[in-house]
Amino acid sequence: MVQKYQSPVRVYKHPFELVMEAYERRFPTCHLIPMFVASDVISEEKSDDGSTHKIERRCKLDVDAPRLLKRIAGVDYVYFIQKNTLNRRERTLHIESHNETFSNRVIIHELCCYSVHPENEDWTCFEQSASLDIKSFFGFESTVEKIAMKQYANSIKKGKEIIEYYLRELEEEGITHVPRWGTSPASPVKAVLPITCPALPVTPAITIIPPVESSKECLAVKEGSSPVGSPTDALSATPDDKLDADYINRYLGDLTPFQESCLIRLRSWLQETHKGKIPKDQHILRFLRARDFNMDKAREILCQSLTWRKQHQVDYLLDTWTSPQVLHDYYTGGWHHHDRDGRPLYILRLGQMDTKGLVRALGEESLLRHVLSINEEGLRRCEENTKVFGRPISCWTCLVDLEGLNMRHLWRPGVKALLRIIEVVEANYPETLGRLLILRAPRVFPVLWTLVSPFIDENTRKKFLIYAGNDYQGPGGLVDYIDKEIIPDFLGGECMCEVPEGGLVPKTLYRTPEELENDDIRLWTETIYQSASIFKGAPHELLIEIIDASSVVTWDFDVCKGDVVFNIYHSKRAPQPPKKDPLAAHGITSPGGNNVQLIDKSWQLGQDYSMVESPLTCKEGESVQGSHVTRWPGFYILQWKFHSMPACATTNLPRVDDVLATLQVSSHKCKVMYYTEVLGSEDFRTACCDVQSL
């Protein structure tokens, strides 16, 4: 398996030329890197005007590996070839290196780049990427991979420190400025300081630089990217598609090089596949943490969650969802200051809540919507607290008071609603719960815990602290996690808490099952998107009738599972009524009853219908938006088909016998969620804008 690494952008608050002067001091050897034994110049080339300097070195490394492994490999040192290309005119240094030793067994390739900061020409940016591919190594492939990753992680951390060290060394020598190429003689300029001048404080070479989009308020977070800086920090921006190393440390936490790389690579993948808005960095990081930074697993659950959010308009929930009055009166939960770590604190007096009454009065889906709005508010409060406390805060603390919990709370529909809520929250808000304090747990609590604990992620269960009776008042109790001044009055504190006391929901507010069912359907069908399943040999097709030429057809769809090919066809005659579930007649019921086929088997491409756009292959997890300006009136067919469908001499659909044979050996299936719109010719200008915002 190929291991890849992509670094964040490191920003040095020094001019490019001075950083290059510090960089050159690393050669021919560097005492700060013990394994870097020596380096020899193999070739060197300079342009006539001196603007370009190419140098190739052979570097000798003493890798920290077990002696036995070195004896088996038959080497004491490992050699790398490093090629540097310095362009003084463009102020860039490109570094490419690869291993010379065991190059037929292990392939290591690294690319680095020093360049001028895009917003401040007196600062320097540094980026690096690398890949490791171990084909074979005497049966020690796994060991070599671990050693290589460990050595590389250490060298990454050292790299920043080394440049800082030599920059300070230059400053101590009085070298504070190196002229740019072509402006004055290329020799270092020393600062003249009075002999009696006291030692100057050393400023860090790298500063915290959150990428900025515009001069918005300090530390505000922009959607799908990174926090923006204050107007005074406008020059400290990095490109919007890049992450700064100190921004990660300031706003996301202390990540290892491997974790940084996973975040950057997943973020880049989302930028490429989701052309519209992508999640914030904190949200992406939560999904990575939930899967122990397994890229494939994190990407899968993140894409599923993004599709869910898009389909149900969750991003707009705080603006569009208005809680019914019965929730304001009888839902015994609310936000209450923060804990000792600065995390937002949510208090839920579950023992005082009439769960049966709320379910009977509101229904399961309304309760779910309310809980989702609480989680969305929690995400917002985490961002605010990150600004207030000056450190990354990505989760909240929940305090659950079980005083009053009894068998009434174990009412089956109520437990069913609770399990459903836990399932949705676990899938779409991972790593948002920092700590759960359960107070005054009664004897009936173990029964409830037995029912719900299997549905809670193991990492989440580890964050639970359970106190029976008044144990929370003693040592190791509530005061260890919450300041005494904000402990609620109903728990023996002095702070007035605005969380409703609850009580029994009046039966006059109960609604019939039919009314609740209609409300549930309305809540979760308020979406402009539709879903469809695609199978081998059974594409999904959508018909759009165009009356006026020069109309605009726009589309927006997500590939939830599998890879698909998207086509657009035009026909002068209308297809036959849609055929649903074409396999049912042969005793097979397709899992997706929403699969529709319009193109008749007898139709011939080029005669009965024509292709108006080149086929578009869409990978799993991609979000695709686009438009087509129609040239003729008639019937347009949008088609999604399975990517691996065998190519035929014609574009007719395969015979049913062929489909049956395929389905017997493979259960491959794709799923898409789509939305289309047609605008008339007079709305063409508007359509072009709408495509960008879909």
Side-chain angles (χ1 to χ4, degrees):
M1 180 179 177
V2 179
Q3 296 285 351
K4 295 184 178 180
Y5 171 78
Q6 175 62 56
S7 78
V9 178
R10 307 190 191 281
V11 181
Y12 297 87
K13 292 179 63 175
H14 295 277
F16 175 80
E17 289 72 20
L18 191 62
V19 173
M20 290 299 98
E21 190 75 16
Y23 174 79
E24 284 300 321
R25 296 200 171 197
R26 297 176 53 173
F27 301 99
T29 185
C30 177
H31 69 278
L32 298 175
I33 311 178
M35 72 172 182
F36 184 25
V37 178
S39 63
D40 300 318
V41 176
I42 299 176
S43 64
E44 189 171 4
E45 177 183 346
K46 293 183 179 180
S47 62
D48 294 337
D49 59 1
S51 62
T52 304
H53 183 194
K54 297 181 180 180
I55 186 169
E56 183 174 350
R57 295 185 177 95
R58 188 170 185 260
C59 303
K60 181 180 179 181
L61 305 181
D62 184 9
V63 179
D64 183 15
R67 184 63 184 172
L68 177 61
L69 184 61
K70 288 185 176 181
R71 291 185 63 182
I72 294 175
V75 297
D76 290 323
Y77 300 100
V78 175
Y79 291 90
F80 275 75
I81 302 299
Q82 183 189 78
K83 300 178 181 179
N84 291 6
T85 303
L86 174 64
N87 191 319
R88 294 189 175 90
R89 179 184 285 108
E90 298 180 1
R91 304 178 75 193
T92 61
L93 172 64
H94 292 280
I95 306 169
E96 179 183 359
S97 61
H98 64 272
N99 61 304
E100 180 184 75
T101 307
F102 300 119
S103 58
N104 60 333
R105 296 178 177 272
V106 180
I107 300 176
I108 301 175
H109 189 229
E110 181 185 47
L111 295 174
C112 304
C113 178
Y114 287 89
S115 60
V116 178
H117 194 287
E119 301 293 338
N120 189 333
E121 62 179 12
D122 289 329
W123 290 358
T124 305
C125 294
F126 172 74
E127 291 180 82
Q128 67 185 125
S129 62
S131 63
L132 168 66
D133 184 9
I134 301 178
K135 300 183 179 298
S136 65
F137 203 86
F138 312 105
F140 292 91
E141 291 80 12
S142 178
T143 302
V144 172
E145 180 178 303
K146 292 178 181 178
I147 293 174
M149 296 298 291
K150 180 181 178 181
Q151 294 278 346
Y152 194 70
N154 292 335
S155 68
I156 290 170
K157 293 180 180 180
K158 276 286 186 181
K160 180 176 71 173
E161 299 172 2
I162 292 168
I163 293 296
E164 290 176 345
Y165 172 84
Y166 286 121
L167 285 169
R168 289 193 296 268
E169 187 176 83
L170 287 169
E171 184 178 3
E172 291 170 359
E173 295 175 6
I175 301 176
T176 59
H177 175 71
V178 177
R180 295 185 189 178
W181 177 85
T183 58
S184 59
S187 58
V189 176
K190 294 190 176 182
V192 180
L193 300 176
I195 297 177
T196 58
C197 179
L200 297 176
V202 178
T203 57
I206 300 183
T207 187
I208 296 175
I209 303 172
V212 301
E213 186 179 48
S214 60
S215 57
K216 299 179 182 178
E217 62 172 325
C218 183
L219 306 183
V221 180
K222 71 179 180 181
E223 188 70 22
S225 182
S226 312
V228 297
S230 64
T232 58
D233 289 334
L235 293 179
S236 64
T238 52
D240 286 345
D241 61 341
K242 303 292 180 69
L243 286 183
D244 178 82
D246 292 298
Y247 154 75
I248 291 177
N249 187 63
R250 165 64 177 82
Y251 295 96
L252 303 181
D254 186 16
L255 304 180
T256 66
F258 170 73
Q259 293 171 343
E260 287 180 344
S261 177
C262 288
L263 172 62
I264 294 170
R265 288 162 54 201
L266 183 53
R267 188 176 184 268
S268 300
W269 181 85
L270 288 169
Q271 287 175 327
E272 293 174 1
T273 57
H274 289 63
K275 306 304 180 184
K277 183 172 62 176
I278 69 170
K280 296 175 181 177
D281 300 324
Q282 295 88 337
H283 199 59
I284 299 174
L285 188 58
R286 290 187 183 101
F287 282 86
L288 283 166
R289 283 175 170 152
R291 291 298 179 267
D292 295 325
F293 287 87
N294 184 304
M295 280 277 294
D296 294 334
K297 293 181 179 179
R299 178 168 55 195
E300 180 179 0
I301 61 173
L302 177 57
C303 288
Q304 292 172 356
S305 179
L306 293 178
T307 300
W308 172 82
R309 295 181 69 89
K310 192 173 185 179
Q311 184 173 6
H312 299 299
Q313 309 284 300
V314 178
D315 287 337
Y316 309 102
L317 190 60
L318 291 179
D319 298 325
T320 59
W321 167 249
T322 302
S323 300
Q325 188 60 40
V326 67
L327 280 173
H328 288 284
D329 297 337
Y330 297 99
Y331 189 86
T332 56
W335 294 99
H336 180 77
H337 300 284
H338 55 80
D339 68 4
R340 287 183 177 272
D341 296 322
R343 297 166 174 162
L345 176 63
Y346 189 84
I347 294 179
L348 180 64
R349 303 183 67 179
L350 184 60
Q352 304 298 317
M353 185 183 297
D354 181 11
T355 54
K356 180 177 181 179
L358 288 174
V359 173
R360 292 289 298 273
L362 296 171
E364 181 180 319
E365 300 303 333
S366 289
L367 277 175
L368 176 59
R369 277 286 176 108
H370 184 63
V371 173
L372 295 181
S373 69
I374 293 172
N375 281 270
E376 291 295 309
E377 174 66 16
L379 296 178
R380 187 186 66 80
R381 286 174 178 262
C382 285
E383 293 179 7
E384 290 182 351
N385 286 18
T386 296
K387 306 172 192 175
V388 172
F389 293 99
R391 61 178 182 272
I393 296 174
S394 60
C395 54
W396 52 83
T397 293
C398 185
L399 187 155
V400 180
D401 179 21
L402 297 183
E403 176 73 18
L405 188 75
N406 53 46
M407 294 302 294
R408 178 183 175 86
H409 292 85
L410 299 181
W411 181 57
R412 184 179 295 273
V415 174
K416 175 176 173 289
L418 176 61
L419 296 180
R420 168 82 190 288
I421 290 171
I422 291 175
E423 181 183 9
V424 174
V425 171
E426 281 283 312
N428 298 284
Y429 300 92
E431 296 297 316
T432 54
L433 182 65
R435 184 181 294 116
L436 180 64
L437 303 171
I438 299 177
L439 309 184
R440 301 196 281 194
R443 293 182 178 181
V444 74
F445 173 72
V447 179
L448 180 62
W449 178 249
T450 302
L451 292 173
V452 302
S453 60
F455 296 88
I456 302 175
D457 181 75
E458 182 180 354
N459 290 334
T460 303
R461 291 201 300 267
K462 294 177 181 178
K463 303 172 184 177
F464 286 31
L465 296 174
I466 303 174
Y467 299 90
N470 294 323
D471 292 348
Y472 70 91
Q473 296 178 344
L478 205 55
V479 292
D480 285 9
Y481 306 102
I482 301 175
D483 289 332
K484 184 177 180 181
E485 294 77 16
I486 63 172
I487 294 178
D489 51 352
F490 63 85
L491 292 175
E494 301 177 356
C495 185
M496 295 297 297
C497 183
E498 298 180 357
V499 175
E501 295 183 0
L504 295 177
V505 178
K507 292 186 178 180
T508 55
L509 298 178
Y510 286 12
R511 307 178 69 184
T512 65
E514 291 76 15
E515 290 175 328
L516 293 176
E517 183 178 358
N518 291 335
D519 277 359
D520 289 350
I521 294 174
R522 179 181 58 81
L523 279 173
W524 289 109
T525 54
E526 290 179 343
T527 174
I528 59 178
Y529 294 91
Q530 301 179 52
S531 296
S533 297
I534 299 126
F535 307 89
K536 283 190 174 183
H540 177 69
E541 294 165 345
L542 177 69
L543 179 65
I544 299 176
E545 183 177 3
I546 299 296
I547 306 299
D548 299 324
S550 299
S551 295
V552 179
V553 179
T554 65
W555 56 82
D556 176 13
F557 65 87
D558 293 330
V559 184
C560 306
K561 189 70 176 177
D563 300 342
V564 302
V565 176
F566 178 61
N567 288 303
I568 306 176
Y569 300 106
H570 171 261
S571 176
K572 294 181 179 179
R573 60 186 175 120
Q576 295 297 318
K579 299 177 181 178
K580 292 190 177 182
D581 206 0
L583 307 179
H586 297 265
I588 298 178
T589 302
S590 73
N594 52 356
N595 180 276
V596 177
Q597 297 178 48
L598 300 169
I599 301 177
D600 193 86
K601 297 178 185 179
S602 62
W603 281 21
Q604 298 290 325
L605 183 63
Q607 298 180 10
D608 301 287
Y609 67 110
S610 59
M611 183 181 293
V612 297
E613 289 273 359
S614 299
L616 178 63
T617 301
C618 310
K619 301 294 184 180
E620 179 177 323
E622 284 195 30
S623 180
V624 182
Q625 300 84 33
S627 65
H628 172 75
V629 181
T630 63
R631 298 178 59 186
W632 316 281
F635 300 90
Y636 285 79
I637 301 173
L638 278 60
Q639 181 194 75
W640 293 265
K641 68 178 182 179
F642 199 87
H643 179 227
S644 61
M645 181 183 296
C648 303
T650 66
T651 56
N652 291 342
L653 292 177
R655 301 192 320 274
V656 175
D657 292 342
D658 296 334
V659 176
L660 293 176
T662 302
L663 291 178
Q664 288 174 356
V665 299
S666 174
S667 60
H668 289 310
K669 161 184 159 181
C670 299
K671 187 173 182 181
V672 295
M673 184 182 72
Y674 62 91
Y675 161 67
T676 60
E677 184 178 7
V678 179
L679 299 173
S681 56
E682 67 277 6
D683 296 324
F684 177 74
R685 185 181 301 275
T686 305
C688 294
C689 298
D690 287 344
V691 171
Q692 301 301 321
S693 60
L694 283 176

